[in-house]
Amino acid sequence: MENVTSVDLLNIFKNESEFLAKCYIRIDSFHIIQYDCLCKLYENSNLRKSFIKALEHNENKKWAGESLKNLLSIKNAEGTFHELLAYAWLTNNAALYKQDVKTVKGQTLSKSTPTLDGRFDFGSKRTYFDIKTFNIPNNILEQLIYKLSNEPALSQYMFMIEGKRDCSYKLLEKKILNLYEDIKNDIISRSTSEQQDFYYHIENTPITIKVIRKREGVHMSTCTFSPYEWAEENELFFIKNASQFTNNNPFLLICVCGAYSLSSPEIQLRSIARRAFIRLPKIKVNEVSAFLDGKVHNKYTKGKLKIIMRRLSGILFIEYKGTNINEMKGYLYINPNAKSPIKNYQSLLGFNQNLKVVDNFKNDNY
Protein backbone atom coordinates (compact mmCIF):
# COMPACT_ATOMS: atom_id res chain seq x y z
CA MET A 1 0.00 0.00 0.00
CA GLU A 2 2.86 2.42 0.76
CA ASN A 3 3.88 2.52 -2.89
CA VAL A 4 0.38 2.67 -4.40
CA THR A 5 -0.22 5.96 -6.21
CA SER A 6 -3.24 7.93 -7.34
CA VAL A 7 -2.42 6.93 -10.92
CA ASP A 8 -2.56 3.25 -9.92
CA LEU A 9 -6.03 3.78 -8.48
CA LEU A 10 -7.16 5.69 -11.57
CA ASN A 11 -6.04 2.79 -13.76
CA ILE A 12 -8.06 0.36 -11.62
CA PHE A 13 -11.19 2.52 -12.08
CA LYS A 14 -10.60 2.62 -15.85
CA ASN A 15 -9.93 -1.12 -16.07
CA GLU A 16 -13.18 -1.85 -14.24
CA SER A 17 -15.36 0.56 -16.25
CA GLU A 18 -15.49 0.91 -20.02
CA PHE A 19 -17.31 4.21 -19.54
CA LEU A 20 -14.58 5.72 -17.32
CA ALA A 21 -11.91 4.40 -19.68
CA LYS A 22 -13.35 6.72 -22.32
CA CYS A 23 -13.21 9.78 -20.05
CA TYR A 24 -10.24 12.10 -20.46
CA ILE A 25 -8.64 12.40 -17.02
CA ARG A 26 -5.19 13.76 -16.18
CA ILE A 27 -4.01 13.76 -12.57
CA ASP A 28 -0.85 14.29 -10.57
CA SER A 29 0.71 11.21 -9.00
CA PHE A 30 0.94 10.95 -5.20
CA HIS A 31 1.01 8.11 -2.68
CA ILE A 32 -2.53 7.37 -1.50
CA ILE A 33 -1.36 6.03 1.88
CA GLN A 34 -1.92 9.52 3.32
CA TYR A 35 -5.66 9.32 2.54
CA ASP A 36 -7.70 6.70 4.36
CA CYS A 37 -10.64 7.16 1.97
CA LEU A 38 -8.51 6.38 -1.10
CA CYS A 39 -6.97 3.36 0.63
CA LYS A 40 -10.49 2.05 1.28
CA LEU A 41 -11.33 2.40 -2.41
CA TYR A 42 -8.14 0.62 -3.42
CA GLU A 43 -8.70 -2.27 -1.00
CA ASN A 44 -12.47 -2.72 -1.30
CA SER A 45 -13.80 -3.77 -4.71
CA ASN A 46 -17.48 -3.54 -3.61
CA LEU A 47 -17.08 0.08 -2.52
CA ARG A 48 -15.30 0.79 -5.79
CA LYS A 49 -18.16 -0.79 -7.76
CA SER A 50 -20.65 1.44 -5.95
CA PHE A 51 -18.62 4.50 -6.87
CA ILE A 52 -18.31 3.36 -10.49
CA LYS A 53 -22.07 2.85 -10.70
CA ALA A 54 -22.57 6.41 -9.44
CA LEU A 55 -19.96 7.83 -11.83
CA GLU A 56 -21.66 6.06 -14.74
CA HIS A 57 -25.10 7.41 -13.76
CA ASN A 58 -26.69 9.39 -16.65
CA GLU A 59 -23.50 8.77 -18.70
CA ASN A 60 -22.26 12.31 -18.13
CA LYS A 61 -18.60 12.03 -19.20
CA LYS A 62 -17.67 15.59 -18.31
CA TRP A 63 -19.05 15.29 -14.77
CA ALA A 64 -17.65 11.78 -14.23
CA GLY A 65 -14.19 12.75 -15.43
CA GLU A 66 -14.09 15.90 -13.30
CA SER A 67 -15.37 14.02 -10.24
CA LEU A 68 -12.77 11.27 -10.57
CA LYS A 69 -10.07 13.90 -11.11
CA ASN A 70 -11.12 15.68 -7.89
CA LEU A 71 -11.31 12.39 -5.99
CA LEU A 72 -7.72 11.58 -6.97
CA SER A 73 -6.29 14.95 -6.00
CA ILE A 74 -4.43 16.02 -2.89
CA LYS A 75 -6.66 19.05 -2.33
CA ASN A 76 -10.13 17.56 -2.88
CA ALA A 77 -9.86 13.83 -2.07
CA GLU A 78 -11.79 13.77 1.23
CA GLY A 79 -14.58 16.13 0.17
CA THR A 80 -15.12 14.43 -3.19
CA PHE A 81 -15.09 11.00 -1.55
CA HIS A 82 -18.01 11.96 0.69
CA GLU A 83 -19.83 13.59 -2.22
CA LEU A 84 -19.52 10.47 -4.37
CA LEU A 85 -20.55 8.38 -1.38
CA ALA A 86 -23.88 10.25 -1.37
CA TYR A 87 -24.34 9.73 -5.12
CA ALA A 88 -23.49 6.03 -4.65
CA TRP A 89 -26.08 5.76 -1.87
CA LEU A 90 -28.76 7.35 -4.07
CA THR A 91 -27.82 5.30 -7.14
CA ASN A 92 -27.81 2.09 -5.11
CA ASN A 93 -31.43 2.76 -4.18
CA ALA A 94 -32.53 3.57 -7.74
CA ALA A 95 -33.30 7.22 -7.01
CA LEU A 96 -34.11 9.22 -10.13
CA TYR A 97 -31.80 12.21 -10.20
CA LYS A 98 -29.68 14.38 -12.44
CA GLN A 99 -26.30 15.56 -11.22
CA ASP A 100 -24.49 18.89 -11.70
CA VAL A 101 -27.56 21.09 -12.32
CA LYS A 102 -27.23 24.70 -13.44
CA THR A 103 -29.57 27.37 -12.06
CA VAL A 104 -30.88 30.66 -13.42
CA LYS A 105 -30.93 34.06 -11.76
CA GLY A 106 -33.39 34.20 -8.87
CA GLN A 107 -33.83 30.43 -8.67
CA THR A 108 -31.70 30.28 -5.53
CA LEU A 109 -30.97 32.74 -2.71
CA SER A 110 -27.63 33.51 -4.34
CA LYS A 111 -26.51 36.78 -5.88
CA SER A 112 -25.32 34.69 -8.85
CA THR A 113 -26.36 31.44 -10.55
CA PRO A 114 -24.68 28.52 -8.72
CA THR A 115 -24.46 24.98 -10.03
CA LEU A 116 -26.12 22.57 -7.60
CA ASP A 117 -25.05 18.97 -7.01
CA GLY A 118 -28.33 17.58 -8.28
CA ARG A 119 -32.07 17.47 -8.85
CA PHE A 120 -34.49 14.64 -8.22
CA ASP A 121 -36.52 13.97 -11.35
CA PHE A 122 -39.67 12.91 -9.56
CA GLY A 123 -42.94 14.75 -9.08
CA SER A 124 -44.35 17.85 -10.77
CA LYS A 125 -42.19 20.15 -8.63
CA ARG A 126 -38.56 19.10 -8.92
CA THR A 127 -36.57 18.82 -5.69
CA TYR A 128 -33.01 20.16 -5.80
CA PHE A 129 -30.17 19.03 -3.58
CA ASP A 130 -26.61 19.75 -2.62
CA ILE A 131 -24.13 17.51 -0.80
CA LYS A 132 -21.86 18.48 2.11
CA THR A 133 -19.39 16.66 4.31
CA PHE A 134 -20.75 16.76 7.85
CA ASN A 135 -18.06 15.92 10.38
CA ILE A 136 -18.04 18.87 12.75
CA PRO A 137 -15.86 19.61 14.60
CA ASN A 138 -14.03 16.28 14.18
CA ASN A 139 -12.83 17.27 10.71
CA ILE A 140 -10.80 20.13 12.19
CA LEU A 141 -9.38 18.00 14.99
CA GLU A 142 -8.50 15.18 12.58
CA GLN A 143 -6.82 17.67 10.27
CA LEU A 144 -4.82 19.05 13.19
CA ILE A 145 -3.57 15.59 14.20
CA TYR A 146 -2.78 14.71 10.59
CA LYS A 147 -0.74 17.89 10.07
CA LEU A 148 1.23 17.50 13.30
CA SER A 149 1.91 13.83 12.55
CA ASN A 150 3.46 14.81 9.23
CA GLU A 151 5.74 17.54 10.53
CA PRO A 152 9.39 16.38 10.05
CA ALA A 153 10.47 18.16 13.25
CA LEU A 154 7.90 16.14 15.24
CA SER A 155 8.45 12.74 13.65
CA GLN A 156 9.34 11.13 16.99
CA TYR A 157 5.92 11.95 18.45
CA MET A 158 2.31 10.82 18.14
CA PHE A 159 -0.63 13.02 19.04
CA MET A 160 -4.03 12.55 20.69
CA ILE A 161 -6.90 14.93 21.42
CA GLU A 162 -8.22 15.50 24.93
CA GLY A 163 -11.02 17.75 26.13
CA LYS A 164 -14.52 18.69 24.91
CA ARG A 165 -15.46 17.42 21.45
CA ASP A 166 -18.82 19.18 21.49
CA CYS A 167 -17.48 22.68 20.85
CA SER A 168 -18.22 24.97 17.92
CA TYR A 169 -16.62 24.25 14.54
CA LYS A 170 -16.35 28.03 14.03
CA LEU A 171 -14.32 28.41 17.24
CA LEU A 172 -11.92 25.66 16.15
CA GLU A 173 -11.58 27.13 12.68
CA LYS A 174 -10.55 30.43 14.22
CA LYS A 175 -8.32 29.11 16.99
CA ILE A 176 -6.81 26.03 15.31
CA LEU A 177 -6.96 26.17 11.51
CA ASN A 178 -6.10 29.86 11.31
CA LEU A 179 -3.41 29.62 13.98
CA TYR A 180 -1.89 26.27 13.04
CA GLU A 181 1.63 27.65 12.41
CA ASP A 182 1.72 29.15 15.92
CA ILE A 183 0.51 25.90 17.48
CA LYS A 184 3.05 23.84 15.53
CA ASN A 185 5.95 26.12 16.46
CA ASP A 186 4.95 26.14 20.14
CA ILE A 187 4.88 22.33 20.24
CA ILE A 188 8.24 22.08 18.44
CA SER A 189 9.71 24.52 20.96
CA ARG A 190 8.30 22.51 23.89
CA SER A 191 9.57 19.24 22.43
CA THR A 192 13.18 20.40 22.59
CA SER A 193 13.02 20.89 26.35
CA GLU A 194 10.61 18.14 27.42
CA GLN A 195 12.13 14.75 28.16
CA GLN A 196 8.81 12.93 28.51
CA ASP A 197 5.25 13.08 27.19
CA PHE A 198 3.57 16.43 27.67
CA TYR A 199 0.26 18.24 27.19
CA TYR A 200 -0.28 21.30 25.04
CA HIS A 201 -3.46 23.30 25.68
CA ILE A 202 -4.76 25.33 22.74
CA GLU A 203 -5.51 28.79 24.05
CA ASN A 204 -9.15 29.90 24.27
CA THR A 205 -10.48 26.45 23.37
CA PRO A 206 -11.49 23.36 25.41
CA ILE A 207 -8.95 21.29 23.43
CA THR A 208 -5.66 19.88 24.68
CA ILE A 209 -3.15 17.92 22.61
CA LYS A 210 -1.46 14.97 24.27
CA VAL A 211 2.07 14.74 22.83
CA ILE A 212 3.49 11.23 23.20
CA ARG A 213 6.94 9.95 22.34
CA LYS A 214 6.58 7.02 19.92
CA ARG A 215 6.91 3.69 21.66
CA GLU A 216 5.09 0.40 21.91
CA GLY A 217 2.10 0.07 24.19
CA VAL A 218 -1.48 1.31 24.53
CA HIS A 219 -2.06 5.05 24.74
CA MET A 220 -5.30 6.59 25.94
CA SER A 221 -6.88 10.02 25.99
CA THR A 222 -9.98 11.42 27.70
CA CYS A 223 -12.70 13.40 25.95
CA THR A 224 -16.19 14.53 26.93
CA PHE A 225 -19.18 14.93 24.63
CA SER A 226 -22.81 16.04 25.01
CA PRO A 227 -25.00 15.63 21.88
CA TYR A 228 -27.27 18.47 22.98
CA GLU A 229 -24.41 20.90 23.65
CA TRP A 230 -22.84 19.86 20.33
CA ALA A 231 -26.11 20.68 18.54
CA GLU A 232 -26.34 24.06 20.28
CA GLU A 233 -22.73 24.96 19.49
CA ASN A 234 -22.98 23.97 15.82
CA GLU A 235 -26.55 24.90 14.85
CA LEU A 236 -25.34 27.63 12.47
CA PHE A 237 -23.59 25.10 10.20
CA PHE A 238 -26.67 25.09 7.96
CA ILE A 239 -26.47 28.77 7.00
CA LYS A 240 -22.86 28.65 5.76
CA ASN A 241 -24.08 27.54 2.29
CA ALA A 242 -27.56 29.10 2.38
CA SER A 243 -27.14 30.78 -1.02
CA GLN A 244 -27.78 27.37 -2.62
CA PHE A 245 -31.29 27.02 -1.15
CA THR A 246 -33.95 27.24 -3.87
CA ASN A 247 -36.72 29.81 -3.89
CA ASN A 248 -39.75 28.06 -5.35
CA ASN A 249 -38.77 24.38 -5.33
CA PRO A 250 -38.11 21.96 -2.49
CA PHE A 251 -34.44 21.89 -1.48
CA LEU A 252 -32.79 18.96 0.31
CA LEU A 253 -29.41 19.32 1.96
CA ILE A 254 -27.59 15.96 1.94
CA CYS A 255 -24.96 15.67 4.66
CA VAL A 256 -22.52 12.75 4.68
CA CYS A 257 -21.39 12.13 8.24
CA GLY A 258 -17.70 11.23 8.42
CA ALA A 259 -16.71 7.81 9.68
CA TYR A 260 -16.97 7.56 13.48
CA SER A 261 -18.17 11.17 13.80
CA LEU A 262 -21.47 10.24 15.48
CA SER A 263 -21.49 8.82 19.00
CA SER A 264 -25.30 8.87 19.34
CA PRO A 265 -26.62 9.59 15.83
CA GLU A 266 -30.36 9.74 16.44
CA ILE A 267 -30.02 12.16 19.37
CA GLN A 268 -27.33 14.29 17.72
CA LEU A 269 -28.93 14.59 14.30
CA ARG A 270 -32.48 15.18 15.51
CA SER A 271 -31.25 17.83 17.92
CA ILE A 272 -29.33 19.81 15.32
CA ALA A 273 -32.03 19.47 12.64
CA ARG A 274 -34.69 20.66 15.08
CA ARG A 275 -32.59 23.72 15.83
CA ALA A 276 -32.21 24.44 12.10
CA PHE A 277 -35.94 24.26 11.43
CA ILE A 278 -37.47 25.64 14.61
CA ARG A 279 -34.94 27.80 16.46
CA LEU A 280 -32.87 29.43 13.71
CA PRO A 281 -35.86 31.18 12.03
CA LYS A 282 -36.29 33.20 15.24
CA ILE A 283 -32.73 34.60 15.16
CA LYS A 284 -31.95 38.02 13.63
CA VAL A 285 -29.62 37.85 10.64
CA ASN A 286 -27.34 40.60 11.95
CA GLU A 287 -26.65 38.50 15.07
CA VAL A 288 -25.12 35.67 13.02
CA SER A 289 -23.79 37.50 9.96
CA ALA A 290 -20.28 36.10 10.57
CA PHE A 291 -21.67 32.59 10.03
CA LEU A 292 -23.97 33.37 7.07
CA ASP A 293 -23.01 32.52 3.50
CA GLY A 294 -21.68 35.75 1.99
CA LYS A 295 -23.18 34.82 -1.39
CA VAL A 296 -26.76 35.21 -0.12
CA HIS A 297 -28.53 38.10 -1.87
CA ASN A 298 -28.99 41.16 0.34
CA LYS A 299 -32.78 41.09 -0.01
CA TYR A 300 -32.88 37.92 2.11
CA THR A 301 -30.71 39.24 4.93
CA LYS A 302 -33.10 41.75 6.46
CA GLY A 303 -34.84 40.87 9.70
CA LYS A 304 -34.75 37.28 10.95
CA LEU A 305 -33.40 34.06 9.42
CA LYS A 306 -36.97 32.86 8.89
CA ILE A 307 -37.08 33.79 5.20
CA ILE A 308 -33.83 31.84 4.57
CA MET A 309 -34.57 28.77 6.68
CA ARG A 310 -38.02 28.29 5.11
CA ARG A 311 -36.17 27.54 1.84
CA LEU A 312 -34.46 24.52 3.42
CA SER A 313 -37.10 21.80 2.96
CA GLY A 314 -35.19 18.99 4.64
CA ILE A 315 -31.88 17.50 5.66
CA LEU A 316 -30.81 13.97 4.79
CA PHE A 317 -27.90 12.68 6.86
CA ILE A 318 -26.08 9.61 5.52
CA GLU A 319 -24.01 7.78 8.10
CA TYR A 320 -20.72 6.66 6.58
CA LYS A 321 -19.97 3.60 8.66
CA GLY A 322 -17.95 0.77 7.17
CA THR A 323 -17.66 0.42 3.40
CA ASN A 324 -20.88 -1.38 2.43
CA ILE A 325 -23.30 1.05 0.76
CA ASN A 326 -26.22 -1.27 1.62
CA GLU A 327 -25.51 -0.86 5.32
CA MET A 328 -25.19 2.94 5.35
CA LYS A 329 -28.22 4.34 7.15
CA GLY A 330 -30.05 7.53 6.27
CA TYR A 331 -31.73 9.95 8.67
CA LEU A 332 -34.27 12.24 6.99
CA TYR A 333 -35.51 15.32 8.81
CA ILE A 334 -38.29 17.35 7.17
CA ASN A 335 -38.78 21.06 7.84
CA PRO A 336 -42.31 21.61 9.18
CA ASN A 337 -42.07 25.31 8.22
CA ALA A 338 -40.76 24.88 4.67
CA LYS A 339 -42.07 27.17 1.94
CA SER A 340 -41.89 24.21 -0.50
CA PRO A 341 -42.43 21.02 1.54
CA ILE A 342 -40.88 17.70 0.59
CA LYS A 343 -43.60 15.27 -0.51
CA ASN A 344 -43.46 11.57 -1.37
CA TYR A 345 -39.97 11.19 0.04
CA GLN A 346 -40.22 7.41 -0.43
CA SER A 347 -40.35 7.80 -4.20
CA LEU A 348 -37.91 10.71 -4.15
CA LEU A 349 -35.20 8.61 -2.54
CA GLY A 350 -35.90 5.47 -4.56
CA PHE A 351 -38.10 3.68 -1.99
CA ASN A 352 -34.98 3.51 0.13
CA GLN A 353 -34.85 0.64 2.61
CA ASN A 354 -31.96 2.23 4.49
CA LEU A 355 -33.86 5.20 5.89
CA LYS A 356 -33.52 4.50 9.59
CA VAL A 357 -35.33 7.65 10.71
CA VAL A 358 -37.88 9.97 9.10
CA ASP A 359 -39.05 12.85 11.28
CA ASN A 360 -41.20 15.86 10.39
CA PHE A 361 -41.21 17.44 13.88
CA LYS A 362 -45.00 17.46 13.81
CA ASN A 363 -45.23 17.72 17.60
CA ASP A 364 -42.21 19.98 18.10
CA ASN A 365 -43.24 22.92 15.97
CA TYR A 366 -44.10 25.54 18.57
Side-chain angles (χ1 to χ4, degrees), residues 274-282 306-314 334-341 360-361 364-366:
R274 185 184 184 282
R275 284 181 168 274
F277 300 148
I278 297 169
R279 184 181 127 70
L280 261 57
K282 302 172 184 176
K306 181 179 180 179
I307 191 170
I308 293 175
M309 297 313 299
R310 286 192 66 213
R311 269 67 175 181
L312 177 59
S313 306
I334 298 171
N335 188 352
N337 300 309
K339 179 186 177 186
S340 301
N360 61 9
F361 298 97
D364 292 74
N365 196 29
Y366 50 83

Side-chain angles (χ1 to χ4, degrees), residues 109 239 278-288 292 296 298-311:
L109 302 189
I239 65 172
I278 297 169
R279 184 181 127 70
L280 261 57
K282 302 172 184 176
I283 299 175
K284 291 181 179 179
V285 174
N286 61 11
E287 293 177 1
V288 293
L292 182 63
V296 172
N298 295 339
K299 65 182 178 180
Y300 302 112
T301 61
K302 299 175 177 65
K304 295 181 180 180
L305 281 171
K306 181 179 180 179
I307 191 170
I308 293 175
M309 297 313 299
R310 286 192 66 213
R311 269 67 175 181

Side-chain angles (χ1 to χ4, degrees), residues 21-178:
K22 296 175 184 176
C23 296
Y24 178 72
I25 307 165
R26 290 189 64 181
I27 62 172
D28 294 326
S29 180
F30 61 90
H31 291 103
I32 68 169
I33 190 69
Q34 57 188 300
Y35 293 97
D36 181 62
C37 60
L38 298 184
C39 291
K40 281 184 168 60
L41 279 170
Y42 179 79
E43 294 172 328
N44 193 302
S45 61
N46 287 330
L47 182 62
R48 210 162 49 242
K49 285 177 184 176
S50 296
F51 271 52
I52 289 172
K53 189 176 178 182
L55 288 163
E56 291 177 343
H57 184 74
N58 292 336
E59 298 184 355
N60 185 334
K61 284 185 182 178
K62 183 179 178 182
W63 174 82
E66 196 63 30
S67 296
L68 198 49
K69 179 181 176 181
N70 287 334
L71 176 67
L72 300 175
S73 71
I74 292 175
K75 185 179 179 181
N76 300 307
E78 292 283 351
T80 307
F81 176 83
H82 289 115
E83 185 176 294
L84 288 174
L85 200 67
Y87 285 120
W89 194 84
L90 293 172
T91 306
N92 187 62
N93 292 284
L96 299 175
Y97 70 89
K98 180 181 179 182
Q99 68 274 64
D100 211 29
V101 178
K102 294 180 180 178
T103 62
V104 297
K105 191 172 183 179
Q107 189 174 2
T108 68
L109 302 189
S110 178
K111 299 171 185 175
S112 59
T113 55
T115 297
L116 300 178
D117 286 334
R119 182 189 70 212
F120 291 106
D121 286 330
F122 177 84
S124 57
K125 212 171 189 181
R126 300 289 190 250
T127 298
Y128 291 79
F129 67 85
D130 213 74
I131 303 167
K132 304 297 176 191
T133 298
F134 188 77
N135 187 20
I136 52 174
N138 286 349
N139 56 333
I140 297 171
L141 299 176
E142 289 164 3
Q143 192 174 340
L144 171 64
I145 295 301
Y146 174 78
K147 282 186 171 183
L148 290 173
S149 300
N150 284 276
E151 292 290 350
L154 295 170
S155 59
Q156 71 272 37
Y157 292 97
M158 62 179 74
F159 306 90
M160 300 180 81
I161 295 294
E162 293 210 337
K164 283 169 57 65
R165 280 183 172 264
D166 46 25
C167 47
S168 162
Y169 78 92
K170 203 68 177 177
L171 171 70
L172 298 192
E173 279 182 353
K174 184 178 180 181
K175 299 298 181 180
I176 292 180
L177 288 188
N178 297 346

Side-chain angles (χ1 to χ4, degrees), residues 4 18 26 75 81-82 95 112 119 141 147 179 181 186 211 222 251 271 282 296 304 350 352 357 362:
V4 177
E18 291 183 14
R26 290 189 64 181
K75 185 179 179 181
F81 176 83
H82 289 115
S112 59
R119 182 189 70 212
L141 299 176
K147 282 186 171 183
L179 299 176
E181 288 299 315
D186 283 351
V211 185
T222 303
F251 180 86
S271 297
K282 302 172 184 176
V296 172
K304 295 181 180 180
N352 197 297
V357 171
K362 180 179 179 181

Side-chain angles (χ1 to χ4, degrees), residues 3 27 32 36 146 153 159 202 210 212 236 271 278 290 294 327 331 346 355:
N3 297 320
I27 62 172
I32 68 169
D36 181 62
Y146 174 78
F159 306 90
I202 300 176
K210 189 174 182 179
I212 308 165
L236 297 174
S271 297
I278 297 169
E327 294 178 358
Y331 302 78
Q346 299 96 329
L355 274 179

Side-chain angles (χ1 to χ4, degrees), residues 181-325:
E181 288 299 315
D182 294 339
I183 294 169
K184 175 195 74 175
N185 291 332
D186 283 351
I187 292 177
I188 290 174
S189 178
R190 283 275 305 275
S191 70
T192 58
S193 59
E194 296 283 352
Q195 300 300 313
Q196 298 178 342
D197 302 344
F198 62 93
Y199 291 88
Y200 177 81
H201 179 72
I202 300 176
E203 237 177 282
N204 301 314
T205 77
I207 300 298
T208 296
I209 304 171
K210 189 174 182 179
V211 185
I212 308 165
R213 287 189 177 274
K214 288 183 179 177
R215 60 183 182 275
E216 291 184 2
V218 177
H219 305 284
M220 301 179 68
S221 63
T222 303
C223 294
T224 60
F225 183 85
S226 163
Y228 299 108
E229 188 169 349
W230 169 84
E232 181 179 4
E233 291 285 351
N234 293 286
E235 63 184 2
L236 297 174
F237 173 86
F238 302 106
I239 65 172
K240 64 185 292 189
N241 299 108
S243 64
Q244 297 173 317
F245 299 173
T246 46
N247 249 319
N248 298 308
N249 290 78
F251 180 86
L252 182 67
L253 187 64
I254 301 177
C255 296
V256 180
C257 304
Y260 316 116
S261 63
L262 301 174
S263 58
S264 48
E266 291 185 42
I267 296 175
Q268 280 181 251
L269 299 179
R270 189 181 195 281
S271 297
I272 201 166
R274 185 184 184 282
R275 284 181 168 274
F277 300 148
I278 297 169
R279 184 181 127 70
L280 261 57
K282 302 172 184 176
I283 299 175
K284 291 181 179 179
V285 174
N286 61 11
E287 293 177 1
V288 293
S289 55
F291 293 79
L292 182 63
D293 185 351
K295 297 176 184 177
V296 172
H297 197 286
N298 295 339
K299 65 182 178 180
Y300 302 112
T301 61
K302 299 175 177 65
K304 295 181 180 180
L305 281 171
K306 181 179 180 179
I307 191 170
I308 293 175
M309 297 313 299
R310 286 192 66 213
R311 269 67 175 181
L312 177 59
S313 306
I315 306 170
L316 170 65
F317 296 98
I318 299 174
E319 187 178 13
Y320 166 41
K321 196 173 184 180
T323 54
N324 188 339
I325 296 292

